Amino acid sequence: MVVSLRSWVANEGGKHLVLMLWLGANTWLFLKTFLLYSNGQQYHYLYKMLGVSSRKTRRLLDKSKTFHVACGVTICIFSVVHVSAHLVNVVNFSVSYSDDFPALNLARYRGEDPKLIILTTIPGVTGALLVLILFLMFMSSSYCVRVSNYEIFWYTHNLFIVFYIILMVHMVGGALKYQTNIEAHPPGCLRANQSSTESQDKELDQGEDEERRCIEEAHFQPHYPQTWLWVTGPLCLYCAERFYRYMRSSDPITIVTVIRHPCDVFELRMLKKNFRARPGQYILLNCPGVSSFENHPFTLTTCPTENKETFGIHLRVVGDWTERFTQLLLPQPRIDLEILPMVQQRRYPKLYVDGPFGSPSEDVFNYDVSLCVAGGIGVTPFACVLHALLDGWTGFRLQRLYFVWVCRELQSFYWFAELLCALHHKLWQENRPDYFNLKLYVSRADSLQSMSEEKYRPLTSRLLVGRPRWKLLFDEIGKTNKDKRVGVFCCGPKGISRTLHKLCNSARSSGTTFEFNKESFS
């Protein structure tokens, strides 16, 4: 039955309007009270003590990417089951064509080619398109594709919009139908041209035969499409979130300086009005000069403070996007200046920032003891943490920080060498040398050169050749911090993260509990 909008408004509109007004009022009151509690000065100390949610709840939210991947794999697995079952159904429609109930058939005649049925019906065509789109999204989501050509992954993954539109139409054709007049035509009743001896072997008397007669022919109709009931809600939430993020990132930012570091690493220092962030968070960069639709995540290495409104990131040239982006930042072939002055700001490309977004690294300050392990450029999430310690942030729980940084080349340590030395000197002046435990590892001994500069002497004494012996390191931390909870934070190659994850789950005689947190954007 087709629902009349005018009739629906007349009969149902009033109660639904009252319900929406009631829900809107409650939502408004909740948001007003929550903002007052989180931002009001009178609740400052209470909010600081109670917080918003527990650490374990936030750690679950940090697994959103893992949950997304699990949902995608599940969809693919059950799609294979779904498609396989319907392929069998198409063959059965052709082979078991019903002459008694023509309306129940998807095939037009007995023995019709199943491929022709798929290519000439709405469920068949839309189903084939859905399988094609899902296959492209699944294949382009593989790690090798994302690393070698991120653009392919990005554009094919956005085919989900087309996927959902086709999914809405998929049920319109009505491949599977159900009977609508069971009372007038009970299953198995005798039709006008059928006798009782034709329907079953045993004989029936005239009374029983009349009772089993069909009043009318069987009527069939396809199921009413219900996909929209499951899809509309999440899609509305997604659209609302995308609109909010679009409005938040609509104003272009100001690039203050660009600094070139060794090993193809660039540092951007930027300025944006009313931008607030916490150590460990990340942002999404969009450069229309490179691609209008691509957004790439970068961890903040410096956050705005009361005395400094700028924020910064470090990016390494490892792909097409970063290569084109850095070429726009430094267009001249002569790159002998380390810092481009502000007078050349007009030459910088237009850049938009979306964020900040939360990450597991935010919880470094929420443990008594934390172990931060970085591999190469994976040091960026922890650079902002070190900046916070250097800037004298207060009010956090952290009492001791272990910091392990593994690089292939010695030159990589120069990215944050001054920061590490400054923090070391600050803690020594405050008579807290045990607060920050630093270990630097160079995995390639053939590229080892000494950091001869006098100002880098604190790093030279903590520089080791080879790879860390993780089990010994964990045992040492466990003995030093008995019966404590140690937060382990990792951002680096999968080999390191797997090893740390296994060690965090292993039992120890010291009674120390290691909680694993992994930072990853790949």
Side-chain angles (χ1 to χ4, degrees), residues 60-72:
L60 287 176
L61 296 176
D62 290 333
K63 303 296 182 182
S64 58
K65 176 193 168 186
T66 305
F67 183 71
H68 176 80
V69 173
C71 290

mmCIF file with all atom_site columns, all heavy atoms in Angstrom, residues 60-72:
data_model
loop_
_atom_site.group_PDB
_atom_site.id
_atom_site.type_symbol
_atom_site.label_atom_id
_atom_site.label_alt_id
_atom_site.label_comp_id
_atom_site.label_asym_id
_atom_site.label_entity_id
_atom_site.label_seq_id
_atom_site.pdbx_PDB_ins_code
_atom_site.Cartn_x
_atom_site.Cartn_y
_atom_site.Cartn_z
_atom_site.occupancy
_atom_site.B_iso_or_equiv
_atom_site.pdbx_formal_charge
_atom_site.auth_seq_id
_atom_site.auth_comp_id
_atom_site.auth_asym_id
_atom_site.auth_atom_id
_atom_site.pdbx_PDB_model_num
ATOM 1  N N   . LEU A 1 60 ? 38.633 1.617  24.637 1.00 0.00 ? 60 LEU A N   1
ATOM 2  C CA  . LEU A 1 60 ? 37.741 0.913  23.717 1.00 0.00 ? 60 LEU A CA  1
ATOM 3  C C   . LEU A 1 60 ? 37.427 1.778  22.500 1.00 0.00 ? 60 LEU A C   1
ATOM 4  O O   . LEU A 1 60 ? 37.387 1.298  21.368 1.00 0.00 ? 60 LEU A O   1
ATOM 5  C CB  . LEU A 1 60 ? 36.447 0.516  24.431 1.00 0.00 ? 60 LEU A CB  1
ATOM 6  C CG  . LEU A 1 60 ? 36.545 -0.639 25.427 1.00 0.00 ? 60 LEU A CG  1
ATOM 7  C CD1 . LEU A 1 60 ? 35.205 -0.835 26.123 1.00 0.00 ? 60 LEU A CD1 1
ATOM 8  C CD2 . LEU A 1 60 ? 36.964 -1.923 24.720 1.00 0.00 ? 60 LEU A CD2 1
ATOM 9  N N   . LEU A 1 61 ? 37.207 3.075  22.726 1.00 0.00 ? 61 LEU A N   1
ATOM 10 C CA  . LEU A 1 61 ? 36.928 3.971  21.610 1.00 0.00 ? 61 LEU A CA  1
ATOM 11 C C   . LEU A 1 61 ? 38.126 4.102  20.690 1.00 0.00 ? 61 LEU A C   1
ATOM 12 O O   . LEU A 1 61 ? 37.971 4.326  19.478 1.00 0.00 ? 61 LEU A O   1
ATOM 13 C CB  . LEU A 1 61 ? 36.515 5.353  22.140 1.00 0.00 ? 61 LEU A CB  1
ATOM 14 C CG  . LEU A 1 61 ? 35.214 5.402  22.940 1.00 0.00 ? 61 LEU A CG  1
ATOM 15 C CD1 . LEU A 1 61 ? 34.977 6.802  23.472 1.00 0.00 ? 61 LEU A CD1 1
ATOM 16 C CD2 . LEU A 1 61 ? 34.038 4.946  22.092 1.00 0.00 ? 61 LEU A CD2 1
ATOM 17 N N   . ASP A 1 62 ? 39.332 3.965  21.235 1.00 0.00 ? 62 ASP A N   1
ATOM 18 C CA  . ASP A 1 62 ? 40.525 4.028  20.405 1.00 0.00 ? 62 ASP A CA  1
ATOM 19 C C   . ASP A 1 62 ? 40.638 2.839  19.462 1.00 0.00 ? 62 ASP A C   1
ATOM 20 O O   . ASP A 1 62 ? 41.443 2.862  18.532 1.00 0.00 ? 62 ASP A O   1
ATOM 21 C CB  . ASP A 1 62 ? 41.780 4.095  21.281 1.00 0.00 ? 62 ASP A CB  1
ATOM 22 C CG  . ASP A 1 62 ? 41.892 5.437  22.003 1.00 0.00 ? 62 ASP A CG  1
ATOM 23 O OD1 . ASP A 1 62 ? 41.370 6.434  21.478 1.00 0.00 ? 62 ASP A OD1 1
ATOM 24 O OD2 . ASP A 1 62 ? 42.480 5.475  23.098 1.00 0.00 ? 62 ASP A OD2 1
ATOM 25 N N   . LYS A 1 63 ? 39.853 1.794  19.708 1.00 0.00 ? 63 LYS A N   1
ATOM 26 C CA  . LYS A 1 63 ? 39.866 0.613  18.848 1.00 0.00 ? 63 LYS A CA  1
ATOM 27 C C   . LYS A 1 63 ? 38.844 0.723  17.716 1.00 0.00 ? 63 LYS A C   1
ATOM 28 O O   . LYS A 1 63 ? 38.470 -0.278 17.116 1.00 0.00 ? 63 LYS A O   1
ATOM 29 C CB  . LYS A 1 63 ? 39.566 -0.640 19.678 1.00 0.00 ? 63 LYS A CB  1
ATOM 30 C CG  . LYS A 1 63 ? 40.526 -0.872 20.837 1.00 0.00 ? 63 LYS A CG  1
ATOM 31 C CD  . LYS A 1 63 ? 41.942 -1.120 20.370 1.00 0.00 ? 63 LYS A CD  1
ATOM 32 C CE  . LYS A 1 63 ? 42.873 -1.402 21.542 1.00 0.00 ? 63 LYS A CE  1
ATOM 33 N NZ  . LYS A 1 63 ? 44.266 -1.607 21.105 1.00 0.00 ? 63 LYS A NZ  1
ATOM 34 N N   . SER A 1 64 ? 38.389 1.931  17.421 1.00 0.00 ? 64 SER A N   1
ATOM 35 C CA  . SER A 1 64 ? 37.349 2.105  16.400 1.00 0.00 ? 64 SER A CA  1
ATOM 36 C C   . SER A 1 64 ? 37.815 1.619  15.034 1.00 0.00 ? 64 SER A C   1
ATOM 37 O O   . SER A 1 64 ? 37.041 1.032  14.276 1.00 0.00 ? 64 SER A O   1
ATOM 38 C CB  . SER A 1 64 ? 36.939 3.582  16.318 1.00 0.00 ? 64 SER A CB  1
ATOM 39 O OG  . SER A 1 64 ? 38.074 4.392  16.018 1.00 0.00 ? 64 SER A OG  1
ATOM 40 N N   . LYS A 1 65 ? 39.091 1.844  14.717 1.00 0.00 ? 65 LYS A N   1
ATOM 41 C CA  . LYS A 1 65 ? 39.604 1.381  13.423 1.00 0.00 ? 65 LYS A CA  1
ATOM 42 C C   . LYS A 1 65 ? 39.591 -0.144 13.352 1.00 0.00 ? 65 LYS A C   1
ATOM 43 O O   . LYS A 1 65 ? 39.196 -0.733 12.333 1.00 0.00 ? 65 LYS A O   1
ATOM 44 C CB  . LYS A 1 65 ? 41.018 1.905  13.202 1.00 0.00 ? 65 LYS A CB  1
ATOM 45 C CG  . LYS A 1 65 ? 41.641 1.387  11.916 1.00 0.00 ? 65 LYS A CG  1
ATOM 46 C CD  . LYS A 1 65 ? 43.127 1.663  11.873 1.00 0.00 ? 65 LYS A CD  1
ATOM 47 C CE  . LYS A 1 65 ? 43.774 0.887  10.752 1.00 0.00 ? 65 LYS A CE  1
ATOM 48 N NZ  . LYS A 1 65 ? 45.235 1.014  10.741 1.00 0.00 ? 65 LYS A NZ  1
ATOM 49 N N   . THR A 1 66 ? 40.017 -0.789 14.444 1.00 0.00 ? 66 THR A N   1
ATOM 50 C CA  . THR A 1 66 ? 40.012 -2.246 14.475 1.00 0.00 ? 66 THR A CA  1
ATOM 51 C C   . THR A 1 66 ? 38.591 -2.784 14.321 1.00 0.00 ? 66 THR A C   1
ATOM 52 O O   . THR A 1 66 ? 38.351 -3.758 13.595 1.00 0.00 ? 66 THR A O   1
ATOM 53 C CB  . THR A 1 66 ? 40.621 -2.754 15.793 1.00 0.00 ? 66 THR A CB  1
ATOM 54 O OG1 . THR A 1 66 ? 41.924 -2.196 15.948 1.00 0.00 ? 66 THR A OG1 1
ATOM 55 C CG2 . THR A 1 66 ? 40.718 -4.269 15.806 1.00 0.00 ? 66 THR A CG2 1
ATOM 56 N N   . PHE A 1 67 ? 37.626 -2.143 14.997 1.00 0.00 ? 67 PHE A N   1
ATOM 57 C CA  . PHE A 1 67 ? 36.229 -2.561 14.886 1.00 0.00 ? 67 PHE A CA  1
ATOM 58 C C   . PHE A 1 67 ? 35.709 -2.340 13.467 1.00 0.00 ? 67 PHE A C   1
ATOM 59 O O   . PHE A 1 67 ? 34.949 -3.157 12.939 1.00 0.00 ? 67 PHE A O   1
ATOM 60 C CB  . PHE A 1 67 ? 35.385 -1.786 15.895 1.00 0.00 ? 67 PHE A CB  1
ATOM 61 C CG  . PHE A 1 67 ? 33.939 -2.185 15.907 1.00 0.00 ? 67 PHE A CG  1
ATOM 62 C CD1 . PHE A 1 67 ? 33.546 -3.414 16.405 1.00 0.00 ? 67 PHE A CD1 1
ATOM 63 C CD2 . PHE A 1 67 ? 32.967 -1.330 15.425 1.00 0.00 ? 67 PHE A CD2 1
ATOM 64 C CE1 . PHE A 1 67 ? 32.208 -3.786 16.412 1.00 0.00 ? 67 PHE A CE1 1
ATOM 65 C CE2 . PHE A 1 67 ? 31.631 -1.684 15.425 1.00 0.00 ? 67 PHE A CE2 1
ATOM 66 C CZ  . PHE A 1 67 ? 31.255 -2.921 15.926 1.00 0.00 ? 67 PHE A CZ  1
ATOM 67 N N   . HIS A 1 68 ? 36.126 -1.240 12.842 1.00 0.00 ? 68 HIS A N   1
ATOM 68 C CA  . HIS A 1 68 ? 35.722 -0.961 11.461 1.00 0.00 ? 68 HIS A CA  1
ATOM 69 C C   . HIS A 1 68 ? 36.225 -2.048 10.516 1.00 0.00 ? 68 HIS A C   1
ATOM 70 O O   . HIS A 1 68 ? 35.484 -2.525 9.641  1.00 0.00 ? 68 HIS A O   1
ATOM 71 C CB  . HIS A 1 68 ? 36.271 0.403  11.038 1.00 0.00 ? 68 HIS A CB  1
ATOM 72 C CG  . HIS A 1 68 ? 36.009 0.757  9.612  1.00 0.00 ? 68 HIS A CG  1
ATOM 73 N ND1 . HIS A 1 68 ? 34.800 1.247  9.173  1.00 0.00 ? 68 HIS A ND1 1
ATOM 74 C CD2 . HIS A 1 68 ? 36.791 0.681  8.513  1.00 0.00 ? 68 HIS A CD2 1
ATOM 75 C CE1 . HIS A 1 68 ? 34.846 1.461  7.866  1.00 0.00 ? 68 HIS A CE1 1
ATOM 76 N NE2 . HIS A 1 68 ? 36.055 1.129  7.443  1.00 0.00 ? 68 HIS A NE2 1
ATOM 77 N N   . VAL A 1 69 ? 37.487 -2.445 10.690 1.00 0.00 ? 69 VAL A N   1
ATOM 78 C CA  . VAL A 1 69 ? 38.050 -3.502 9.848  1.00 0.00 ? 69 VAL A CA  1
ATOM 79 C C   . VAL A 1 69 ? 37.319 -4.817 10.086 1.00 0.00 ? 69 VAL A C   1
ATOM 80 O O   . VAL A 1 69 ? 37.011 -5.564 9.143  1.00 0.00 ? 69 VAL A O   1
ATOM 81 C CB  . VAL A 1 69 ? 39.553 -3.662 10.130 1.00 0.00 ? 69 VAL A CB  1
ATOM 82 C CG1 . VAL A 1 69 ? 40.119 -4.866 9.394  1.00 0.00 ? 69 VAL A CG1 1
ATOM 83 C CG2 . VAL A 1 69 ? 40.304 -2.390 9.727  1.00 0.00 ? 69 VAL A CG2 1
ATOM 84 N N   . ALA A 1 70 ? 37.014 -5.117 11.363 1.00 0.00 ? 70 ALA A N   1
ATOM 85 C CA  . ALA A 1 70 ? 36.290 -6.355 11.679 1.00 0.00 ? 70 ALA A CA  1
ATOM 86 C C   . ALA A 1 70 ? 34.910 -6.365 11.026 1.00 0.00 ? 70 ALA A C   1
ATOM 87 O O   . ALA A 1 70 ? 34.466 -7.391 10.487 1.00 0.00 ? 70 ALA A O   1
ATOM 88 C CB  . ALA A 1 70 ? 36.169 -6.519 13.197 1.00 0.00 ? 70 ALA A CB  1
ATOM 89 N N   . CYS A 1 71 ? 34.228 -5.213 11.045 1.00 0.00 ? 71 CYS A N   1
ATOM 90 C CA  . CYS A 1 71 ? 32.912 -5.123 10.393 1.00 0.00 ? 71 CYS A CA  1
ATOM 91 C C   . CYS A 1 71 ? 33.039 -5.337 8.889  1.00 0.00 ? 71 CYS A C   1
ATOM 92 O O   . CYS A 1 71 ? 32.215 -6.029 8.271  1.00 0.00 ? 71 CYS A O   1
ATOM 93 C CB  . CYS A 1 71 ? 32.273 -3.767 10.679 1.00 0.00 ? 71 CYS A CB  1
ATOM 94 S SG  . CYS A 1 71 ? 31.731 -3.527 12.383 1.00 0.00 ? 71 CYS A SG  1
ATOM 95 N N   . GLY A 1 72 ? 34.074 -4.741 8.287  1.00 0.00 ? 72 GLY A N   1
ATOM 96 C CA  . GLY A 1 72 ? 34.270 -4.903 6.854  1.00 0.00 ? 72 GLY A CA  1
ATOM 97 C C   . GLY A 1 72 ? 34.534 -6.343 6.455  1.00 0.00 ? 72 GLY A C   1
ATOM 98 O O   . GLY A 1 72 ? 33.969 -6.844 5.474  1.00 0.00 ? 72 GLY A O   1
#
